[in-house]
Amino acid sequence: MSNEKLLVEIYEEDPFTGCCGPGITSPSALEQTRRMLDNRNKTVKALKEEFEGIANIDRKIIGSRRPYSTYPPPIYKLLMARTRVPFVLIDGKLVFEGKFPSRGEFEEAIKARLYTSSRSEK
C-alpha cells in the first residue's frame, strides 16, 4: 500500500437549523440533540485514534445559509443530486447516505477500503 492516508469525509446537517428560537424547541429535544452530538463526537474521536497514521477523518457541516456552489465540486454535485445528509465519503466515494454510521460501520468501511487499496496496488 502507498504511504498516502485514506480521506474520510463526513458531511452533516447543521443540528441547530431552525432550532433554538422562542417556542421552536423543547428541553427534551435539546437534550436529544446534545446526546446525538456527544455520541457522534465520541465515534469520530475513537476512529481518529484507531486509524491514526492510516486515515484522515474530516467532519464538516452543511450549513443551511451557505450556498451549495461554495462547496468543492464533488460535494456540490452530491448536494445538487439531493444526496441525503449526513453522508460519508472515503477517498471521494460515497459510502453512507442519510444516516450517521455507527463506529462499527465506519470501521468496516474503512477497513474494506484499506483492503481494496492494498489489493489493487499489487
Side-chain angles (χ1 to χ4, degrees), residues 49-60:
E49 290 172 3
E50 181 175 353
F51 293 103
E52 184 177 3
I54 297 170
N56 287 324
I57 301 172
D58 192 13
R59 243 176 123 184
K60 297 182 181 169

Side-chain angles (χ1 to χ4, degrees), residues 13-104:
E13 66 277 2
D14 183 349
F16 300 107
T17 298
C19 165
C20 307
I24 294 177
T25 190
S26 67
S28 63
L30 287 173
E31 178 58 22
Q32 183 179 2
T33 299
R34 186 201 64 76
R35 279 194 310 270
M36 178 265 301
L37 291 172
D38 187 49
N39 287 336
R40 288 181 180 188
N41 285 338
K42 287 178 182 175
T43 297
V44 171
K45 182 180 179 187
L47 292 169
K48 285 181 176 183
E49 290 172 3
E50 181 175 353
F51 293 103
E52 184 177 3
I54 297 170
N56 287 324
I57 301 172
D58 192 13
R59 243 176 123 184
K60 297 182 181 169
I61 299 294
I62 302 293
S64 62
R65 295 179 187 210
R66 180 177 171 186
Y68 287 171
S69 61
T70 63
Y71 290 94
I75 303 310
Y76 172 76
K77 286 179 185 176
L78 287 169
L79 293 169
M80 293 305 293
R82 298 197 184 274
T83 302
R84 294 172 303 161
V85 181
F87 58 85
V88 178
L89 295 94
I90 299 180
D91 283 346
K93 180 182 176 192
L94 183 66
V95 292
F96 294 104
E97 172 188 358
K99 74 173 196 122
F100 194 91
S102 68
R103 179 176 173 183

